[in-house]
Amino acid sequence: MSTTRQPSPGDLGPEPGTDQVSVPDGTDRTLTLDSASGVVPLARDFTRQALYDWGWLPASTPDTRAAAEDVLLVVSELVTNACLHADGPERLRVSTAAKVLRLEVTDRGEGQPAPRTPHQAGRPGGHGMFIVQRLCLDWGVQRLPDTQGKTVWAELAAPA
């Protein structure tokens, strides 16, 4: 896990109070989740639509289908983690560039997500960040400047 990478411009998403969905160049989308109900399916549907728009879906090959399913699973895990451990997510950002898809979930939580160690496959619960770690190229946490909260980000390889 990398937690020291400096944020790129726009990594923290839009300013609070801006439009719910932002698509400046077609490769960057932000969904405001603060106070929304059913945030996990909402986040999955939002991400699925981005994958359709970017040509990952409908999947033309098994590899593309698997890559899209991995993205949707990671979105579910990150948003669920924010719901369970950080009073819910504020926003989801999905972006793609240079054969990498980046997911960012911003919340007000102070905790530090980490895979449960040792990982016990047969034990219920506690698998979210282990799944993220296994499916992603990299992931980490960026603290929000001058406010309570953080952005948990994950990067996955785009299908070939």
Side-chain angles (χ1 to χ4, degrees), residues 1-158:
M1 173 180 83
S2 170
T3 59
T4 57
R5 180 182 298 171
Q6 294 301 311
S8 307
D11 273 355
L12 300 179
E15 293 297 315
T18 60
D19 291 341
Q20 183 173 10
V21 178
S22 166
V23 188
D25 61 4
T27 60
D28 182 3
R29 300 184 181 202
T30 302
L31 173 67
T32 300
L33 296 167
D34 194 27
S35 302
S37 61
V39 293
V40 175
L42 182 64
R44 285 179 63 90
D45 290 345
F46 176 80
T47 304
R48 184 178 294 110
Q49 184 60 54
L51 296 178
Y52 270 102
D53 294 346
W54 297 334
W56 289 37
L57 294 173
S60 58
T61 68
D63 287 343
T64 305
R65 185 179 310 100
E69 290 172 2
D70 288 352
V71 169
L72 295 174
L73 178 56
V74 171
V75 164
S76 294
E77 295 299 338
L78 294 178
V79 173
T80 297
N81 230 27
C83 291
L84 293 174
H85 305 292
D87 297 326
E90 290 187 334
R91 68 183 156 262
L92 165 67
R93 181 173 178 257
V94 182
S95 59
T96 184
K99 299 191 179 194
V100 173
L101 185 126
R102 183 174 172 109
L103 304 168
E104 299 175 3
V105 175
T106 301
D107 62 52
R108 289 189 202 102
E110 303 231 355
Q112 182 77 12
R116 200 181 267 179
T117 54
H119 181 254
Q120 297 176 340
R123 186 179 197 179
H127 304 292
M129 294 313 294
F130 178 77
I131 291 169
V132 170
Q133 180 177 313
R134 296 284 294 204
L135 293 178
C136 295
L137 299 170
D138 199 6
W139 72 277
V141 178
Q142 296 168 339
R143 293 287 159 193
L144 300 179
D146 303 323
T147 185
Q148 177 181 341
K150 65 185 175 298
T151 297
V152 180
W153 58 268
E155 295 178 340
L156 295 96

